[in-house]
Amino acid sequence: MSQLNNPIIQSALFVRLLATSKFALVTSTVIAALFAYAQREVIALPFVLTWLFLVITIAIIRATHVHSCLRTPLDEHSTLQAQLVKFRYLTIIAGLAWGSAGFLMFPPSSPEHQMFLVFMLAGVSAGVVTSYSADTTSAITFVFALLIPLITRLFMHNSAMSHAMGLAGITYLIFIVVHIRRANQNLLENIVLRLEVGEHKRTVSTSSNRYDALLSHSPMAIFHFDANLVITHCNERYAAILGVPV
């Protein structure tokens, strides 16, 4: 069984995904509100309000799902898989909602607001590396849904600078995907290492308990001593022979 197919590792990754999602949802909602406030100057207000309402509604639905998952035991593999699939679907929908800003909120006649749009979407995509890297499917699909509409819109804009920004956007997209995969691999290795350390500690503890039981109930006199020949530990039989307490 590969590491990713291990139910214990899957559960640990999903719990990490849920934990990091809470902060990401709050932060992205605040960013969306600030962005909508700034773009209202160059984009028709109905488009701005519709987009903001859509983003906030999806964020609330996702936050409710995350809260529900954190309160629900995920011991069953089928339950874990079902919740993960739902999380991925909601993440894709959120990515599409954010990505729609690349078309709905793109101001052709305002380079300053175009740059603000690019800056905002790039920042959100960068946050995905830390927020959703526990699941590469969620992270990569979100980033593609987020950036592809903007990159397409930049290429559609009749400007050499926009075309250059579109090429830069493609390069940035590849850069983000590579870092998502690396972050996921590092996280996976850390979880595996933590599980191995925990298993080693349990094994050592079990062996120590067994040895202590054997030492205590042995009919033979057993004692330990250090390099200075000082007795550091002994069993009841040895103490009884000497006529002293353990």
Side-chain angles (χ1 to χ4, degrees):
M1 179 181 295
S2 65
Q3 292 177 342
L4 287 177
N5 291 330
N6 187 319
I8 298 177
I9 295 178
Q10 284 185 339
S11 179
L13 286 171
F14 188 53
V15 170
R16 171 62 182 270
L17 183 65
L18 295 174
T20 55
S21 295
K22 293 189 297 182
F23 179 75
L25 288 170
V26 174
T27 304
S28 62
T29 301
V30 173
I31 292 174
L34 294 175
F35 173 71
Y37 178 79
Q39 297 299 88
R40 81 192 191 287
E41 300 177 354
V42 291
I43 302 295
L45 189 59
F47 285 104
V48 174
L49 294 178
T50 299
W51 178 84
L52 182 61
F53 175 78
L54 180 64
V55 170
I56 293 178
T57 300
I58 295 173
I60 293 174
I61 295 174
R62 296 182 67 208
T64 303
H65 176 244
V66 168
H67 181 70
S68 175
C69 289
L70 289 173
R71 298 186 60 183
T72 303
L74 299 172
D75 299 330
E76 294 292 334
H77 182 66
S78 57
T79 302
L80 173 62
Q81 287 298 113
Q83 296 294 359
L84 178 58
V85 169
K86 185 176 181 180
F87 183 93
R88 288 173 174 173
Y89 278 126
L90 290 175
T91 301
I92 294 173
I93 294 173
L96 291 173
W98 276 92
S100 66
F103 273 92
L104 296 177
M105 312 283 274
F106 187 92
S109 59
S110 176
E112 294 84 359
H113 288 83
Q114 290 177 20
M115 290 302 299
F116 186 67
L117 170 63
V118 173
F119 174 78
M120 186 270 300
L121 293 181
V124 173
S125 63
V128 170
V129 176
T130 55
S131 300
Y132 302 141
S133 59
D135 180 48
T136 54
T137 300
S138 297
I140 292 176
T141 53
F142 184 89
V143 168
F144 268 84
L146 179 73
L147 295 180
I148 290 298
L150 174 63
I151 293 172
T152 303
R153 187 66 180 83
L154 287 170
F155 279 115
M156 291 173 59
H157 193 52
N158 189 20
S159 165
M161 178 59 71
S162 294
H163 294 169
M165 291 174 63
L167 291 174
I170 294 176
T171 304
Y172 178 73
L173 178 60
I174 296 173
F175 172 81
I176 288 293
V177 170
V178 170
H179 274 267
I180 288 173
R181 291 188 175 278
R182 288 182 177 177
N184 178 265
Q185 186 62 35
N186 291 336
L187 180 59
L188 178 61
E189 291 174 355
N190 289 335
I191 291 176
V192 171
L193 180 60
R194 188 173 72 248
L195 292 175
E196 290 177 349
V197 170
E199 182 64 28
H200 178 69
K201 288 182 178 179
R202 286 190 294 270
T203 301
V204 171
S205 177
T206 300
S207 300
S208 178
N209 292 337
R210 288 177 180 175
Y211 178 75
D212 288 342
L214 177 63
L215 183 69
S216 299
H217 297 90
S218 174
M220 296 186 297
I222 302 174
F223 66 93
H224 299 166
F225 58 89
D226 59 18
N228 297 319
L229 303 182
V230 176
I231 296 177
T232 59
H233 187 61
C234 70
N235 63 354
E236 293 286 350
R237 177 59 178 161
Y238 184 79
I241 292 175
L242 297 181
V244 296
V246 173

